[in-house]
Amino acid sequence: MALRQLASQAASGLGLRCTAPSLALTQSPVGLLQAALFRSYSTVIDGLKYAESHEYAKIEGDVATLGITDFAQSELGDVVYVEVPEVGASLSKGANLGVVESVKAASDIYSPLSGEVIEVNSALVDDPAKINAEPFEGGWLAKIKLSDPSEADSLLDANAYKKHVESQAH
Amino acid sequence: MSGVVKVLRLQNFQILRQLKLEEALLRASNDNWFLVNDGTPDPAIVLGISGKPEVMVHEVAARKAGVTLIRRFTGGGTVVVDSDTLFTGLIMGVDEVPGLEPFPRPIMKWTEDLFKPVFGKYGDFALREHDYVFKDVKFGGNAQAISKRRFVHHTSLLWRFDPDRMALLQHPARTPEYRQGRPHHRFITPLQDHVPSRPHLLDQLTASLGSAGFALQEASLVEAEEALARNKICGTRVL
């Protein structure tokens, strides 16, 4: 996160906007540079597994803690509202895990793995900004007991996810 | 990537039905759609996914006035709608626009650029803190939902409004900076003061998709409503 702040300051010094670039029908060189800088400094944690749709799974035994990545929270903007599943709900890989609201948009979040929800992060009800501030720590969404741990083999590791994020630049 | 947008033209169509339809087209259709609806027959107050009626609306007064409260599936604020509100709903796959990513700000920027040639004819148009404005007065609200690689961007445009009905809204805790504490009636402007023709405006907004390179295909309500039976998730409901 500190590296991204440094990148933002560097971008400011170069006269670049310090927000994620928005895409018009044409792309400016400034926008492309800023996008590349931004994507280079999104935090990716080694040892976690990642979905291409920017959710992560922290797997400990047969329990996975699920959330959205630093890249995703930054692209979404300030999160003002979160919906999480109910404890006891059964999730399939790729099914809706919840919804976040940011910048007048309700964005669906998907479960990267299948399992039963055993805990949800109720702190997000009163403090949804935790998703922005601590996506990998206090901003987790739900914990599930895995029904098929082998599904994790199809997720991306940290290096592959980093490349995936960088490839989103245009 | 089909390059085709199906156009559904509605008039005086109930906003609750329109929202349920848009949600179904987002989740249970692979096609691109552009809905235009000239007015809703019964007044309603439509709240975004996180809107709290007890905070946003004078509920007792609203119910006494016969105004229905509706929760919609998209984000954003609370709006009063009636027969003088014009609606558009764009439902599209992000892959239809090269380089467009499934996140709020790029989508909002792309739709601003899409509609700018139309609104720009009638005033100093901009998307300002996510509102549609002429300079510093708001004429329309917009909101979005994003699911997998598809999105809805829909708008409510104030052709004309009833100040008494607007007074059913409480002053929100979060307001855009450009509002600068102005009361509601000084912060919004009716489109009829800027645009000569109401039906022509909706036609122009539809045509903007053609100008953006999409082939427009007129569609029927029957065809659109096929998605309702397939949709499993519905966040839109009467409160």
Side-chain angles (χ1 to χ4, degrees):
Chain A
M1 286 288 230
L3 279 174
R4 187 148 52 79
Q5 284 167 3
L6 180 62
S8 282
Q9 286 163 17
S12 285
L14 290 168
L16 303 175
R17 282 182 302 123
C18 287
T19 53
S22 52
L23 291 161
L25 296 173
T26 59
Q27 302 158 33
S28 72
V30 163
L32 289 170
L33 173 59
Q34 199 241 329
L37 275 172
F38 177 78
R39 286 168 173 81
S40 299
Y41 292 107
S42 291
T43 301
V44 179
I45 308 281
D46 287 336
L48 303 189
K49 300 294 266 185
Y50 298 87
E52 287 187 0
S53 49
H54 307 294
E55 294 86 9
Y56 70 82
K58 180 179 177 183
I59 301 171
E60 295 164 300
D62 64 352
V63 173
T65 302
L66 309 178
I68 65 169
T69 65
D70 183 37
F71 173 79
Q73 67 79 18
S74 202
E75 291 288 321
L76 285 168
D78 292 342
V79 176
V80 298
Y81 172 79
V82 181
E83 282 181 5
V84 292
E86 289 187 2
V87 172
S90 193
L91 297 177
S92 301
K93 180 177 156 81
N96 272 42
L97 171 64
V99 182
V100 296
E101 183 185 0
S102 62
V103 193
K104 300 173 81 170
S107 299
D108 286 347
I109 308 294
Y110 313 103
S111 185
L113 297 166
S114 304
E116 181 188 333
V117 179
I118 57 173
E119 191 179 345
V120 296
N121 188 353
S122 52
L124 296 179
V125 172
D126 293 325
D127 191 5
K130 272 188 184 297
I131 289 185
N132 298 114
E134 313 168 44
F136 297 109
E137 294 122 21
W140 61 275
L141 292 168
K143 298 187 182 189
I144 62 171
K145 182 164 178 180
L146 299 172
S147 55
D148 183 359
S150 71
E151 286 178 337
D153 297 340
S154 64
L155 297 178
L156 305 174
D157 65 16
N159 279 334
Y161 179 67
K162 263 186 232 174
K163 289 188 178 122
H164 173 61
V165 166
E166 284 160 14
S167 73
Q168 310 258 292
H170 309 278
Chain B
M1 205 164 87
S2 71
V4 174
V5 175
K6 296 188 175 183
V7 176
L8 181 61
R9 299 179 198 266
L10 303 166
Q11 186 148 18
N12 223 29
F13 192 74
Q14 283 186 349
I15 186 58
L16 179 64
R17 277 184 78 188
Q18 179 187 335
L19 290 168
K20 288 190 174 193
L21 180 57
E22 288 177 356
E23 189 169 10
L25 291 172
L26 171 69
R27 301 188 188 285
S29 168
N30 292 322
D31 295 325
N32 306 312
W33 288 86
F34 188 64
L35 279 64
V36 293
N37 181 20
D38 190 341
T40 182
D42 303 308
I45 293 175
V46 183
L47 292 87
I49 190 171
S50 63
K52 295 178 183 168
E54 65 276 16
V55 171
M56 304 302 297
V57 183
H58 295 293
E59 286 183 277
V60 172
R63 301 215 190 266
K64 201 170 168 184
V67 177
T68 306
L69 270 58
I70 296 171
R71 163 89 63 220
R72 67 177 187 268
F73 65 104
T74 52
T78 305
V79 293
V80 179
V81 299
D82 56 28
S83 57
D84 285 318
T85 311
L86 311 180
F87 303 96
T88 71
L90 176 62
I91 302 111
M92 186 167 266
V94 293
D95 296 323
E96 292 286 345
V97 181
L100 186 62
E101 295 179 14
F103 293 108
R105 285 174 293 209
I107 292 171
M108 202 170 277
K109 173 65 179 156
W110 181 73
T111 52
E112 179 192 6
D113 289 343
L114 181 70
F115 293 140
K116 194 165 194 164
V118 176
F119 292 125
K121 282 190 245 189
Y122 303 113
D124 186 4
F125 168 70
L127 188 68
R128 196 160 173 187
E129 294 179 67
H130 317 305
D131 288 339
Y132 285 164
V133 303
F134 289 131
K135 206 169 175 188
D136 63 352
V137 283
K138 176 179 174 178
F139 65 83
N142 62 79
Q144 303 181 121
I146 303 167
S147 184
K148 295 198 163 41
R149 293 188 68 77
R150 289 174 63 76
F151 68 89
V152 168
H153 177 90
H154 59 194
T155 68
S156 57
L157 307 173
L158 302 168
W159 182 257
R160 192 166 36 224
F161 54 85
D162 178 343
D164 290 339
R165 215 168 267 151
M166 288 291 176
L168 294 173
L169 298 181
Q170 297 195 41
H171 195 88
R174 274 195 320 263
T175 58
E177 262 186 55
Y178 79 92
R179 182 167 176 170
Q180 305 221 311
R182 285 176 284 166
H184 207 219
H185 68 278
R186 291 209 181 280
F187 164 61
I188 55 176
T189 184
L191 269 174
Q192 67 172 0
D193 288 356
H194 305 268
V195 180
S197 165
R198 179 168 165 162
H200 189 49
L201 176 64
L202 292 175
D203 287 344
Q204 288 178 307
L205 291 171
T206 306
S208 68
L209 287 156
S211 302
F214 293 98
L216 303 181
Q217 202 175 86
E218 298 292 324
S220 69
L221 181 59
V222 168
E223 182 188 354
E225 286 189 326
E226 287 172 6
L228 289 169
R230 296 192 298 265
N231 184 32
K232 304 279 186 281
I233 301 174
C234 189
T236 304
R237 65 187 190 281
V238 174
L239 295 175

